Amino acid sequence: MIKAIRGFKDILPSEACIWQYVETISQKILRDYGFSELRLPIIEDTSLFVRSIGQDTDIVSKEMYTFPDRKNHSLTLRPEGTASVVRAFVEHKMYARDQYKKFYYLGPMFRYERPQAGRSRQFHQIGAEIFGLAEASVDAELLILVYDLFSKIGLPSITLSLNSVGCPACRPPYKKILQEYLQKDHATLCLDCQQRSEKNPLRVLDCKNDDCQDIISRAPTILEHLCPTCQHHQQEVERLLKLSNAPYQINHRLVRGLDYYTRTAFEVTFAGLGAQNAIAGGGRYDNLVEEFGGPPTPAIGFALGLERVVLALQGQGTIPPPSPSIFLAALGEKAREKAFLLLRSLRQKGFCIQMSYQDSSLKSQLKQANQQGAQFTLILGENELNNQRIIIKDMEHASQEEVALEDISEVLKNKFLPFLAKREIF
RNA sequence: GUGGGUGUAGCUCAGUUUGGAUAGAGCUCUGGAUUGUGGCUCCAGUGGUCGAGGGUUCAAGUCCCUCCACUCACCCCA
């Protein structure tokens, strides 16, 4: 039997309805906040990711799906979305137009990692990016958007961790200070961290190895060594979050795994997801547009992991409400023919209605109606057809009444009013 | 990439220790009890390359080897 390859999954209908629910709500909120959708290619030139994410990051050095095409160009299945958004922003000179500076995207990303709960090789993100604004209020707005988003989706109990990773003016001096500090206890650090302290000392901070914990906990923090501009920016972001009653935790050890971040860096976690508990993350990247040949353009963005959001919703038993539906049971050849036409006419009027494809017993058709979760079943047999009437049965209350066939659409409309009133999104 | 656990019906699992004849249960599904009335109950039936391949043996779901997948942790991150 041929199976889906490792780390790639089918999303079956019972789960896909949760995906649709999350995607629909997210897109509505993003549009309300002024974001427009940007649809991007799934494959890009390999150098796009090497240059933006960073050669020495784990993503680039060991997790990318990179392969040569037929003309030996090195291509890569995108491991994240921001690089492509920046590429498109510069390529189409979108900086020249005011109206499109907030973008969102959604779609599959690919990383060659060991699969486990909440982590597959093809995974899906919804991301949002804002270009051209350096103000701290933009950072705050984006974080508040994240809160609104998760709250509307049905996950209000998230934890927001916040930090600053500085800028080209203050990060290098801090790196040196950290490196000097780490040098004193170099031998005590784990092997990984001994290497990291040379290449990328900031990454030592989020090491979970016991040997390193004591050293890390007493390490100088970056917030104490920010330049005045970064410091002011950070304080202003925090002030606006407090003003908005958006809780957050400063995490001095929060370091992102992508090199392009500057200043604000954050991560959203959800308890109960196990080891892979980060459901969203992002930060500011004020120099990336310029590095890709655009004019100096500050930017900030975030992405959320759809698999993990869906897992979190399933974990707390949140299941989107089924659409109200009708089942049409018909008995005998003549009634089935009439029902076939009625089915179409009711669908054209906007009703969600199904009928049995086989001329089976009423019992079996009612069973089908029950399985499909139909609120009402219409019963059309020879008797009803002869009198030009139809039975409408309320499945939940097990009650039924007979109405004139020509009135059925009006009767159903009235029956469905209370159901429709309860539904906000669909 | 490293280490631990697990793979038996569509789903959840027993059986593997100590090899033995047609591999079981519950749920689901189909039919009946109920001729045109679903959910509850009772009865019957359908459904299995026992993860894959190889080996040992008179005999393998059970023992051995290799591989694969899932899962947890490390790692990393969304």
Side-chain angles (χ1 to χ4, degrees):
Chain A
M1 182 172 51
I2 298 178
K3 292 196 228 168
I5 59 177
R6 182 169 187 164
F8 289 67
K9 288 179 187 164
D10 299 311
I11 298 162
L12 302 182
S14 62
E15 204 171 272
C17 65
I18 306 177
W19 283 68
Q20 286 185 0
Y21 168 83
V22 174
E23 288 165 3
T24 306
I25 294 176
S26 303
Q27 293 193 70
K28 164 141 180 38
I29 294 175
L30 285 163
R31 283 193 291 264
D32 288 352
Y33 268 77
F35 291 80
S36 312
E37 189 184 4
L38 190 54
R39 300 200 182 191
L40 300 157
I42 286 171
I43 300 176
E44 297 269 9
D45 200 304
T46 301
S47 61
L48 173 67
F49 302 115
V50 176
R51 285 175 52 197
S52 61
I53 299 169
Q55 181 78 64
D56 293 329
T57 59
D58 286 316
I59 294 176
V60 170
S61 63
K62 51 190 185 196
E63 294 176 1
M64 293 207 304
Y65 278 90
T66 295
F67 56 93
D69 73 1
R70 287 172 187 277
K71 287 190 173 171
N72 262 322
H73 297 302
S74 180
L75 306 180
T76 294
L77 249 45
R78 63 180 183 194
E80 60 112 35
T82 301
S84 299
V85 178
V86 171
R87 195 220 77 233
F89 181 78
V90 173
E91 181 174 338
H92 302 288
K93 300 185 166 55
M94 293 194 276
Y95 42 80
R97 282 182 247 159
D98 268 345
Q99 58 267 52
Y100 301 112
K101 295 213 164 165
K102 288 170 152 186
F103 308 102
Y104 78 86
Y105 59 85
L106 80 173
M109 308 292 163
F110 305 84
R111 291 182 201 171
Y112 192 93
E113 297 182 275
R114 184 94 177 242
Q116 66 182 72
R119 188 171 79 183
S120 45
R121 291 181 175 178
Q122 175 179 336
F123 62 101
H124 299 78
Q125 291 187 334
I126 298 179
E129 319 281 349
I130 303 174
F131 291 90
L133 296 162
E135 285 75 8
S137 59
V138 177
D139 304 38
E141 186 195 74
L142 193 77
L143 291 168
I144 287 162
L145 160 62
V146 169
Y147 264 106
D148 280 0
L149 199 55
F150 283 116
S151 155
K152 280 264 167 52
I153 288 171
L155 299 171
S157 56
I158 53 167
T159 303
L160 172 65
S161 301
L162 188 66
N163 197 14
S164 174
V165 293
C167 69
C170 52
R171 187 158 43 188
Y174 170 70
K175 263 190 187 174
K176 266 195 191 139
I177 292 167
L178 183 62
Q179 229 157 8
E180 278 162 27
Y181 167 82
L182 293 172
Q183 201 57 45
K184 286 188 294 186
D185 295 301
H186 193 265
T188 326
L189 292 170
C190 69
L191 286 176
D192 281 342
C193 285
Q194 292 188 5
Q195 285 184 355
R196 286 183 189 129
S197 65
E198 307 291 332
K199 273 190 168 177
N200 195 349
L202 288 180
R203 293 215 60 84
V204 174
L205 293 175
D206 71 346
C207 178
K208 283 154 201 152
N209 196 306
D210 284 343
D211 299 339
C212 308
Q213 297 310 305
D214 191 44
I215 301 167
I216 294 165
S217 65
R218 284 180 289 127
T221 69
I222 190 163
L223 290 185
E224 299 163 347
H225 295 86
L226 292 176
C227 62
T229 322
C230 285
Q231 199 169 29
H232 180 260
H233 185 91
Q234 176 69 14
Q235 284 165 355
E236 184 63 6
V237 172
E238 291 189 40
R239 190 183 71 80
L240 288 168
L241 287 177
K242 281 178 191 148
L243 194 66
S244 312
N245 284 322
Y248 64 92
Q249 289 176 356
I250 291 295
N251 181 354
H252 297 294
R253 300 171 54 174
L254 175 65
V255 177
R256 317 260 39 237
L258 299 88
D259 285 353
Y260 52 64
Y261 285 115
T262 55
R263 294 190 182 166
T264 307
F266 62 90
E267 208 166 271
V268 176
T269 54
F270 184 82
L273 281 180
Q276 309 301 324
N277 65 350
I279 53 175
R284 190 163 265 289
Y285 50 99
D286 287 341
N287 304 309
L288 196 55
V289 172
E290 195 175 1
E291 279 170 36
F292 277 95
T297 307
I300 183 169
F302 81 95
L304 64 82
L306 273 167
E307 277 81 359
R308 294 180 188 178
V309 169
V310 169
L311 276 175
L313 286 172
Q314 285 173 323
Q316 61 179 31
T318 308
I319 289 154
S323 29
S325 67
I326 307 164
F327 193 87
L328 176 52
L331 300 163
E333 206 177 316
K334 275 185 189 159
R336 289 185 61 76
E337 191 174 287
K338 175 69 190 167
F340 187 75
L341 298 173
L342 180 62
L343 183 74
R344 183 179 179 200
S345 111
L346 286 174
R347 278 181 180 153
Q348 283 174 332
K349 287 178 176 131
F351 290 103
C352 170
I353 180 165
Q354 311 298 323
M355 72 178 274
S356 169
Y357 293 101
Q358 278 121 26
D359 188 11
S360 45
S361 67
L362 178 60
K363 179 191 172 74
S364 133
Q365 294 191 54
L366 275 166
K367 217 169 179 177
Q368 256 186 78
N370 198 47
Q371 281 167 350
Q372 288 178 16
Q375 270 81 19
F376 298 100
T377 299
L378 306 180
I379 301 169
L380 187 67
E382 297 290 338
N383 299 341
E384 289 77 22
L385 188 63
N386 290 338
N387 301 323
Q388 285 298 297
R389 302 192 56 91
I390 190 165
I391 294 171
I392 173 164
K393 180 179 170 86
D394 183 323
M395 296 301 278
E396 194 190 341
H397 301 102
S399 58
Q400 65 183 50
E401 57 184 304
E402 206 181 283
V403 302
L405 201 43
E406 57 181 344
D407 295 338
I408 188 62
S409 160
E410 274 307 305
V411 174
L412 282 174
K413 211 182 277 177
N414 292 329
K415 297 254 185 211
F416 270 111
L417 281 177
F419 285 103
L420 294 169
K422 273 189 221 163
R423 295 154 57 80
E424 285 183 24
I425 295 292
F426 293 108

